[in-house]
């Protein structure tokens, strides 16, 4: 199921989203200040490319907490809202439920990426 889900995900927009995240990551890594944000964008690109069969483990310390608070205020809330809307729209049909669940997983990571590890 994971392989089929990932293939369908890539065909119906996952590849475009992953490429967009990678481009954002490259742009953010141009400056020294943007490198930590670029790393988080690459993390999102990795999960967006093949979300089925991957899990996100959250951890980190005070530094991650502070970085996540800044992230949420600047961009995280808007990205998470977009993923939640996509998840709700996917869950309208029975066939779309697995894709909606993956969108909700990405919404949580988009909201709180620092200190998270993708496994």
């Amino acid at each position: 199921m994971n392989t089929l889900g990932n293939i369908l995900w890539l065909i119906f927009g996952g590849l475009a989203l992953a490429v967009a995240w990678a481009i954002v990551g490259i742009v953010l890594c141009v400056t020294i200040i943007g490198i930590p944000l670029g790393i988080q964008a690459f993390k999102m690109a990795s999960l967006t490319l093949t979300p089925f069969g991957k899990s996100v483990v959250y951890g980190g310390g005070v530094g991650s907490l502070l970085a996540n608070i800044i992230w949420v205020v600047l961009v995280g809330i808007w990205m998470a809202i977009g993923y939640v809307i996509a998840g709700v729209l996917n869950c309208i049909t029975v066939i779309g439920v697995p894709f909606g669940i993956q969108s909700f997983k990405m919404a949580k990571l988009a909201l709180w990426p620092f200190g998270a590890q993708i496994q």
Side-chain angles (χ1 to χ4, degrees):
M1 177 62 188
N2 290 341
T3 304
L4 179 61
N6 283 327
I7 291 170
L8 291 173
W9 181 270
L10 288 172
I11 291 171
F12 292 113
L15 183 60
L17 274 173
V19 168
W21 273 114
I23 291 170
V24 168
I26 291 169
V27 169
L28 286 170
C29 286
V30 169
T31 65
I32 293 173
I33 295 172
I35 289 173
L37 301 174
I39 292 170
Q40 303 315 308
F42 291 133
K43 191 182 298 182
M44 287 297 300
S46 169
L47 183 63
T48 303
L49 190 60
T50 54
F52 288 90
K54 290 184 181 176
S55 62
V56 181
V57 178
Y58 294 92
V62 175
S64 294
L65 176 66
L66 294 175
N68 278 325
I69 290 170
I70 294 169
W71 177 271
V72 167
V73 171
L74 294 177
V75 294
I77 190 73
W78 301 110
M79 290 189 304
I81 288 171
Y83 278 117
V84 167
I85 290 170
V88 168
L89 291 174
N90 279 317
C91 287
I92 290 174
T93 65
V94 175
I95 295 171
V97 170
F99 300 100
I101 292 169
Q102 300 309 313
S103 293
F104 294 138
K105 180 172 38 176
M106 285 184 273
K108 186 175 178 184
L109 183 64
L111 191 61
W112 216 250
F114 288 91
Q117 304 250 337
I118 299 173
Q119 298 179 346

